[in-house]
Amino acid sequence: MVEVGDKVIGYSTDPGVRNKGASGGLVTAILAAALEKGLVEEVVVLKHINEYEAIPIITSDVEDVLASAGSMHTVPVNLAKYAIGKNVAMPGKPCDIRGVIEQAKRNEVNIDNTYLIGLNCGGTMYPVQTREMLINMYDIDPEDVTGENIEKGNLIFRTKSGEEKGISIDELEEAGYGRRLSCRYCDVKIPVNADLACGNWGVIGELTGNATFCEVMNEKGVRLLENAIDAGYVEIEPASDKAITIREKVNNVMLSMGEKWSEKVFTEIPDGERTQYYMEQFADCINCGACKEICPVCTCGEDSKCTMYHNLEDNYRMSMFHMVRLMHLSDSCIGCGQCTDVCPVDIPLTTIFRRFADKSQKKYNYKAGMTLERPPFLEVMPR
Ligand code: SF4
Ligand code: SF4
Ligand code: SF4
């Protein structure tokens, strides 16, 4: 019997799934069982194009789920909006789960029938830059790569010949490679905001690389795991004290790396210079709207307040579009990095939005996307 708070090590009972899935295929097997046994109507997964690229799909075909097995650190998409209006299960990084929770706070997602399987996340990378990094730093042909992993502060790649090569993330980032900037200062690494918090941190001994550590966070997590066990899709055993301690240690290492990056990036802007800072940051904006469109916590449509000011005739000295967005996102920005990723003129939007939101979120001791218990401090209109 599974209970809230359980910490277990688990894997798929199907040898094919266990070999193909990241860390023993536990998450793949839980998703497949949720679909096959009718716990959900659909699942959100990444359809792999190659080792570096994938697209999110919503599917009710269990074959799609099995084909999606394996981790993809080079696909920095956010899945939150795929959960809107559906009875789905989805695996997600902490920022995917945070996005879903913010959508649920604004009545766009029914959290009761949305099942969230969180995956530990040390960070994600850009696919093109990763290929370059493999050639320049690892001396590996990108086409030879069969998998990747972040372990003990190292980014490790596996090749077709079975070799593994790891380089410290610090060294890679020093050389201008490695994780997206928003991931470097991200402060949620274990998705304790999901129904199940899964990952390979804490999997030790002969199960290393072949099983997943899984913490049951709530009753929905119990349902997900029990459903998969009853269906015969997964096997679990209690995590040892040593495994639990190691998982915590890895998390602490990742969080302290994040704190260092945060101190480096968010240097204080002196009083009297802030308006100038924001004006300069947004000066190159071409009003394309991509940052609003991609934002996983924005629930407004085309007739939103910010878009009223979103045209080139808006000749305020600082774009009202961005001023409205800065204000609206001050209680919901989760620092996911999506806005920076899509901006065609390379405005570092995530850093700007986090800089603005951080002050009010800290003041109210509020971290967006972590729990439904805390409503947003800006009012939400009833639907
Ligand atoms: S923002 Fe955080 S959770 Fe999201 S991909 Fe980056 S490290 Fe992972
Ligand atoms: S403003 Fe940018 S970083 Fe913040 S939630 Fe939206 S897309 Fe993510
Ligand atoms: S994505 Fe960049 S250019 Fe487009 S509206 Fe946003 S800030 Fe402006």
Side-chain angles (χ1 to χ4, degrees):
M1 193 179 135
V2 179
E3 287 179 10
V4 176
D6 281 357
K7 295 184 173 94
V8 300
I9 306 284
Y11 45 82
S12 165
T13 51
D14 179 317
V17 176
R18 191 166 183 194
N19 279 337
K20 185 162 184 269
S23 311
L26 180 80
V27 172
T28 305
I30 292 172
L31 287 168
L35 203 50
E36 293 220 305
K37 299 297 162 193
L39 198 60
V40 293
E41 289 165 7
E42 293 169 302
V43 296
V44 181
V45 287
L46 290 177
K47 182 174 175 154
H48 297 200
I49 297 168
N50 55 43
E51 199 54 51
Y52 306 92
E53 292 164 292
I55 48 166
I57 57 168
I58 303 168
T59 181
S60 54
D61 184 346
V62 81
E63 290 305 321
D64 287 335
V65 178
L66 300 179
S68 74
S71 64
M72 299 283 289
H73 286 106
T74 52
V75 183
V77 293
N78 191 288
L79 300 176
K81 283 188 171 171
Y82 292 84
I84 293 174
K86 301 202 167 53
N87 167 216
V88 288
M90 62 173 251
K93 309 174 293 299
C95 60
D96 295 308
I97 310 297
R98 294 177 77 179
V100 173
I101 289 175
E102 286 304 304
Q103 291 285 339
K105 283 181 191 171
R106 290 160 181 82
N107 309 313
E108 296 290 327
V109 163
N110 178 358
I111 206 73
D112 294 334
N113 67 6
T114 304
Y115 288 83
L116 302 169
I117 306 176
L119 311 169
N120 295 349
C121 184
T124 47
M125 304 173 291
Y126 298 118
V128 172
Q129 204 189 47
T130 303
R131 284 175 184 265
E132 261 176 48
M133 176 180 76
L134 280 161
I135 296 166
N136 296 339
M137 302 288 290
Y138 285 76
D139 202 16
I140 288 178
D141 179 347
E143 301 311 319
D144 283 345
V145 168
T146 55
E148 89 280 336
N149 193 16
I150 294 179
E151 212 177 282
K152 295 185 183 154
N154 292 321
L155 177 60
I156 300 162
F157 286 93
R158 263 191 322 279
T159 61
K160 286 175 188 160
S161 62
E163 275 174 66
E164 284 195 348
K165 186 164 181 183
I167 298 181
S168 96
I169 292 174
D170 285 342
E171 188 183 334
L172 294 170
E173 288 172 357
E174 204 64 43
Y177 295 110
R179 302 165 301 162
R180 298 146 75 227
L181 183 61
S182 49
C183 296
R184 297 180 195 180
Y185 56 70
C186 173
D187 60 358
V188 184
K189 301 297 186 187
I190 293 182
V192 291
N193 49 350
D195 302 323
L196 294 174
C198 299
N200 62 2
W201 303 346
V203 181
I204 49 176
E206 57 188 27
L207 286 173
T208 303
N210 213 2
T212 298
F213 190 114
C214 173
E215 181 172 1
V216 182
M217 302 309 303
N218 57 30
E219 287 300 335
K220 273 195 292 156
V222 171
R223 283 204 287 284
L224 272 170
L225 196 50
E226 276 188 342
N227 178 64
I229 295 167
D230 293 347
Y233 282 33
V234 306
E235 268 175 27
I236 59 166
E237 58 190 67
S240 64
D241 289 346
K242 190 172 173 195
I244 294 168
T245 308
I246 288 176
R247 178 182 183 245
E248 274 164 21
K249 265 194 192 154
V250 178
N251 189 36
N252 289 338
V253 168
M254 297 310 291
L255 289 175
S256 72
M257 280 169 74
E259 270 168 34
K260 281 193 197 131
W261 269 104
S262 191
E263 281 163 20
K264 211 191 256 190
V265 173
F266 297 107
T267 47
E268 192 63 30
I269 301 170
D271 285 349
E273 291 179 23
R274 292 201 187 96
T275 312
Q276 189 61 28
Y277 163 83
Y278 287 106
M279 279 167 63
E280 281 169 10
Q281 294 294 314
F282 291 128
D284 291 338
C285 175
I286 56 168
N287 296 294
C288 72
C291 50
K292 175 182 182 305
E293 189 63 31
I294 197 78
C295 180
V297 302
C298 177
T299 55
C300 305
E302 283 177 10
D303 58 348
S304 51
K305 275 219 173 56
C306 62
T307 43
M308 277 167 57
Y309 301 100
H310 193 204
N311 59 58
L312 290 169
E313 282 88 59
D314 161 19
N315 56 1
Y316 294 93
R317 290 182 68 203
M318 185 182 354
S319 164
M320 287 292 280
F321 168 71
H322 289 300
M323 286 178 74
V324 173
R325 280 184 53 73
L326 282 169
M327 176 58 108
H328 283 183
L329 290 162
S330 62
D331 71 350
S332 58
C333 177
I334 54 171
C336 65
Q338 300 296 309
C339 46
T340 296
D341 292 353
V342 297
C343 180
V345 291
D346 293 337
I347 298 175
L349 288 159
T350 303
T351 302
I352 301 167
F353 275 82
R354 278 311 313 158
R355 184 186 284 283
F356 191 89
D358 207 39
K359 284 211 166 13
S360 43
Q361 292 190 7
K362 275 201 175 119
K363 180 170 174 182
Y364 291 106
N365 190 23
Y366 181 91
K367 198 184 243 187
M370 296 309 290
T371 169
L372 274 170
E373 310 284 305
R374 293 276 311 272
F377 49 79
L378 297 177
E379 194 177 356
V380 175
M381 299 287 285
R383 293 237 157 185

